Structures are given as structure tokens and as C-alpha cells.
């Protein structure tokens, strides 16, 4: 779920400063009253009303490791996804599941076919 736009946040603060009560502002803009109070609190403290970014998880494979994974698949074309995940752990020290390995290969456009891999 995405946060509210900066424009909406500023209009909420402006409506309250124009004399409307927090409950009225919440009803007009379709937000929770707690949201109105949170924006007012930030505004009074001089903080930005802009939304914060979610830190998320770090990527399990750095861009400089793309070739390493491609080489692994070329050298071991008949290995299963779990075996590739185990090899990846042995080479990089990063443990991934077979499903994560599948997604990593898909993002690189590497297909695992019996015989030789198509990169």
C-alpha cells in the first residue's frame, strides 16, 4: 500500500490551520483522524510531510555477480535449482532458497535446459 501524496498531506495541514477540526478534516479527505494528527505533529516540529521510504531487503545478488551465476549455470547445466542454490552459497556465502535461485536466474534471462544452458 502506498502512502498519501505530499499534495494531500499539505492540504490536510492547510485545512486544519484554516480552522477546521481534525475530525472534520479527516472526514473531508477520507483519512483517519490519527493521520491528521500525525501530519500536524510533523508540521509543527518543522519536519517534512513527505512520505518516508521503506528500507526493504538488500539484494541477494550484486550486479557484479551476474556473470558468476551465468558461469555457474554453464559449468553445471544439469543441476537442480537446490543444487545451484547450494553452489551459490559455497561460492558467495549467501544462502538462498531454490525459489530465490529460480527468480535470480529468471531475472538474468538464463534458462536451464537439459544439454547446454541458453544465456
Amino acid at each position: 500500500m502506498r502512502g498519501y501524496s505530499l499534495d494531500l498531506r499539505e492540504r490536510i495541514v492547510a485545512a486544519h490551520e484554516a480552522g477546521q477540526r481534525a475530525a472534520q478534516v479527516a472526514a473531508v479527505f477520507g483519512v483517519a483522524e490519527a493521520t491528521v494528527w500525525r501530519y500536524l505533529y510533523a508540521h509543527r516540529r518543522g519536519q517534512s510531510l513527505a512520505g518516508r521510504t521503506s528500507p526493504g531487503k538488500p539484494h541477494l545478488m550484486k550486479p557484479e555477480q551476474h556473470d558468476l551465476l551465468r558461469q555457474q549455470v554453464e559449468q553445471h547445466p544439469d543441476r537442480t535449482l537446490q543444487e545451484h542454490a547450494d553452489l551459490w552459497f559455497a561460492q558467495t556465502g549467501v544462502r538462498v532458497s531454490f525459489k530465490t535461485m529460480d527468480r535470480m536466474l529468471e531475472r538474468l534471462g538464463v534458462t536451464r535446459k537439459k544439454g547446454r544452458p541458453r544465456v
Side-chain angles (χ1 to χ4, degrees), residues 23 26 28 45 59 61 63 104:
V28 168
R45 293 186 57 179
H59 290 285
M61 180 174 55
M104 289 166 54

Side-chain angles (χ1 to χ4, degrees), residues 26-37:
V28 168
F29 290 101
V31 298
E33 192 173 342
T35 301
V36 175
W37 287 115

Side-chain angles (χ1 to χ4, degrees), residues 27-95:
V28 168
F29 290 101
V31 298
E33 192 173 342
T35 301
V36 175
W37 287 115
R38 190 170 45 252
Y39 296 160
L40 292 172
Y41 180 75
H43 178 71
R44 288 179 185 149
R45 293 186 57 179
Q47 296 174 342
S48 171
L49 293 176
R52 294 175 289 209
T53 59
S54 174
K57 290 183 177 180
H59 290 285
L60 295 174
M61 180 174 55
K62 296 172 179 59
E64 57 269 13
Q65 293 176 320
H66 291 182
D67 288 335
L68 181 64
L69 184 56
R70 284 188 176 101
Q71 290 172 1
Q72 175 181 310
V73 175
E74 286 175 5
Q75 292 171 0
H76 308 283
D78 293 333
R79 299 277 176 111
T80 65
L81 286 170
Q82 186 59 54
E83 291 170 337
H84 277 295
D86 295 339
L87 283 171
W88 185 253
F89 176 68
Q91 290 180 3
T92 64
V94 177
R95 187 172 303 280

Side-chain angles (χ1 to χ4, degrees), residues 5 7 16 20 23 61 70 72 80 91 102 112:
S5 69
D7 177 55
H16 186 270
Q20 290 184 351
M61 180 174 55
R70 284 188 176 101
Q72 175 181 310
T80 65
Q91 290 180 3
D102 185 41
R112 295 178 322 99

